Amino acid sequence: MVITLQEISVKILKTLIISTFLFFVYSCASGGSSQTAIPVLDQTTLAPVDERIPFTKFKNSLVTPWGDASKEYFVSSHYPSSNWPSNEKYIVEDYGFLSVTSMGRHPGDSNNPDEISQAGPYTNNAQWFEADLNLDEYTDLIYVGNNCCNRDYVLEDLMLAFINNGDGHFRLAPEIFTDGQFPCVNGGKSWISNAESTLHPCGNQADYTNGKIVADFNGDGISDYYDTSILYLSNSEGKLENRSQYNLPDLFFEEAHGQIFVHDATYGDLDNDGDLDIFVPISDYTKLGFKFGGEIDPCSECTEQIPYTALINDGKGNFSANYKIPLYDYWVEFEQKNGFPRSQLWPTTAAIGDFDNDGFGDIALGWFNPEISHLYGFNENSSGVIYLNNGKNDWTQRDFIELPSNYFGANGNANDMEVFDFNDDGFMDIVLASTIHEPYYESRVIQFFKNDQGHSFIDITNSLSPDHAKYADGNPYSTWWVGQGKLHIIDYDHDGDLDIVDTTTRTSVFINNQTSFDLYDDFVDTDEDVLLWPVEIDGKYHYDFIGSHVQICATNYCTTNFYQLLDPPAADITTDFLSKTNGYFVSLAQASYLNDHLRELSYKKEILSYSDSMTSTFGSSINMGKFSVLAGNYRGLHSGNFIGGFFNESFMSFGFTHSKVTTMSQSQTKWFGMSRADLSLDINEVFLKKDLITTDSLLITVGYLSNLTTAGNFFEEGGAINLFFHESKIEYQASFASFRYGFDFSGYSVNMAGGMRKSFGHQEQIFKSDRDMVFNSDNAFSNEYFSIDLVKGNFYLLAIKNGNTKMRIATGVQFNF
């Protein structure tokens, strides 16, 4: 049976003939039978939660030619998302989950006339890689640091491992390495001196490389790490172990070879055996007076070129060297911009792919200097070449396939290259990122080379990428160069196809829309340098990123903070925004439950009191035969007054209550923060109930009620977006049941009470803002409560549990009137 609020109100109002008395009771009601402590609501604003995972600060101390230096690793102070820019798509989170400070100065560097640096402090940056370090379903991280700007001595940089805790936050994990220490994988020496030891613990690579690789080389599912002469493999315990001098060929450690310079490296299956091999286009020479391999050269002023090298994997991470790749080891007469009369063609990027679909890996090279490609038998300004595998890991026996011209022609510089089938025709295609020599590294373009049935490659950039030339004339947003970068082939938007992320100082995404690759570069950052590394942190929506912020540089130190750039798409932000009123709905619901106690307090007690962990109720009742009236006040979370009227028949009881209260409400959202509002509420409830059992010690009651709770106009404060709300309401019908049981025991009076209400049918819940926005909720309304008290004389002990609050224990003295 459903009785509407209006129907019950009419019936009850007709029976109430003492309305003139209510004003007096309503105004004067005070006190109660128990003077319990009045709860106080903590109304302080909740600070943003810091969910970063702290670790103990640690330092790596160094000695440079110019004095002491150090690198310090720590978690920064907490700067919440609201401190940083955001847009409809991206927001900064976990800022400073890793901070790195370098202490020490260098005198500047002019070894490369295009990359002159001034004297000052070392600055820090890093490359970030997705990894699986513990075989769970969450993305872990590998950090590889680098620092700038002096080649005469480069500070040591470490490789760090971070474990995803499953909630998108990262824990620094030294236990990932066999000795529990983070290894040095960069620097600690001069990059331009060939007098350095080839067995240096930080590796034998010369200069910064674009060829760092994180992949599973031994087939156990755990990510490994490779860079030139460095190899870390997971062992039987799942820990990363330095296997460089055991599993890599001797060429990387031969003293006669000196430091090895590699601009890029790549990996893939070259020999069709199911594991990952590596191709290293080495661009370096032996020391003076030595041949490749370490043999002394009779010509003491001669050097020999170190060949391009394929590292063939045996499946367990043991690599053997293969040099059967064409090598252009001669120089040609060509006047260079720096005045040198000769030049040599050499690759700055490479890729592996089965371009002719014969099952074996072919090798693609991209030229640093296409201006002289025609002097080596290629077309003018050729961007690169593909050498085909003959099925026996020999790339010298078949004709090559030339790649189209570099976008920038003679001024071009192939910077990075990746392989995937971007047109879904079954043949592997190539994307090539290039920059320019003049002005040095200021521009960037990605070209799309379509594989024509394994016979040739066609440049279809103009038709496939409408925004490809956006950075062809430099960075329109800042003075940062955009030429140096790293391509990532990933499913950025999780739609099942592959997209392209180009990590530069203006990171861009080319989104695969089947017929085109459309540019997205509207990222937010903490500074002008939008250098972002793609890492899928939460597994949802579009890809996330790790970014960096050089927060402060002083005379002799620099600090860089790293952070997450998370993607809450518009739909998620909209959903979050529409939840802004959830906390206010809860407050209205909790206020409507106050009447549970008023209804139960009407059972012929003259002095009324009730207290839970939020609100205390005090009142008095006047009974006149079948009629009774009730009035009093609330203190605590809810503050205000109430009145009520009841008509009692033997078969059924009717009644109503009206309350006017104020309360402070809070509503928390993920993206818009904590909002708060002071609510003024009118609570009207009518009910009918039936006593099923009525004895001196036990009362069991069931019934139905209709509730209308209305909030007056209010304005919220404290959130990122604050709204003004017009009069709002909740209206619902519910069934209820309650009991009371009392008995005496050893001089104590024991009283237990409890009950519940549960809504049914349609519940109307609406908030309307002044911006014509409507917020609603379809939450059901239910409340359960239980109390027990022990009374001896005037002393009592009380325990109260409400469905929305914790258990509360109270003791005190009560006086009966």
Side-chain angles (χ1 to χ4, degrees), residues 508-759:
S508 304
V509 182
F510 290 83
I511 300 176
N512 187 345
N513 291 316
Q514 303 304 314
T515 58
S516 66
F517 280 80
D518 299 324
L519 179 67
Y520 175 84
D521 60 358
D522 188 22
F523 293 104
V524 295
D525 206 329
T526 52
D527 55 21
E528 191 181 11
D529 173 7
V530 191
L531 182 64
L532 304 171
W533 297 88
V535 174
E536 184 49 270
I537 295 173
D538 55 18
K540 297 184 294 185
Y541 316 124
H542 293 178
Y543 243 75
D544 310 303
F545 293 84
I546 299 295
S548 59
H549 177 206
V550 181
Q551 185 183 38
I552 185 171
C553 277
T555 303
N556 65 338
Y557 74 92
C558 263
T559 297
T560 299
N561 290 321
F562 298 94
Y563 59 86
Q564 299 180 10
L565 190 65
L566 295 184
D567 169 32
D572 192 45
I573 292 179
T574 300
T575 300
D576 193 59
F577 182 77
L578 293 176
S579 71
K580 277 178 63 64
T581 57
N582 284 359
Y584 310 141
F585 279 126
V586 170
S587 292
L588 266 65
Q590 289 180 344
S592 75
Y593 303 152
L594 293 172
N595 290 328
D596 281 330
H597 311 303
L598 296 185
R599 187 180 61 245
E600 301 309 322
L601 291 174
S602 65
Y603 70 107
K604 298 182 180 180
K605 287 190 71 173
E606 295 180 356
I607 303 299
L608 311 172
S609 68
Y610 184 85
S611 181
D612 60 20
S613 60
M614 296 190 300
T615 302
S616 296
T617 304
F618 303 92
S620 58
S621 173
I622 299 177
N623 302 294
M624 295 173 292
K626 295 182 178 181
F627 299 99
S628 61
V629 292
L630 179 73
N633 58 55
Y634 304 106
R635 301 178 187 177
L637 174 62
H638 304 93
S639 178
N641 300 307
F642 62 85
I643 59 174
F646 305 95
F647 180 77
N648 302 298
E649 287 285 0
S650 59
F651 63 92
M652 187 74 72
S653 297
F654 304 89
F656 87 96
T657 56
H658 170 70
S659 304
K660 293 182 69 69
V661 300
T662 59
T663 187
M664 197 280 283
S665 180
Q666 294 178 325
S667 193
Q668 175 75 57
T669 62
K670 180 177 181 181
W671 304 114
F672 299 96
M674 174 70 75
S675 298
R676 59 185 180 273
D678 293 321
L679 304 181
S680 296
L681 307 178
D682 280 328
I683 309 167
N684 293 283
E685 186 169 288
V686 294
F687 66 87
L688 56 87
K689 65 177 183 177
K690 172 67 176 177
D691 296 335
L692 298 181
I693 299 177
T694 305
T695 68
D696 292 339
S697 59
L698 177 63
L699 173 67
I700 296 179
T701 301
V702 296
Y704 296 92
L705 63 86
S706 181
N707 183 284
L708 173 62
T709 299
T710 303
N713 298 346
F714 67 91
F715 185 80
E716 60 180 352
E717 299 176 335
I721 296 178
N722 298 302
L723 300 176
F724 176 82
F725 289 94
H726 299 294
E727 184 177 88
S728 309
K729 67 178 182 178
I730 60 173
E731 184 174 6
Y732 65 93
Q733 289 78 47
S735 57
F736 65 85
S738 63
F739 78 92
R740 290 184 178 276
Y741 179 63
F743 60 92
D744 295 328
F745 176 76
S746 297
Y748 288 92
S749 282
V750 181
N751 300 284
M752 292 184 291
M756 55 80 66
R757 73 164 63 189
K758 185 174 184 180
S759 64

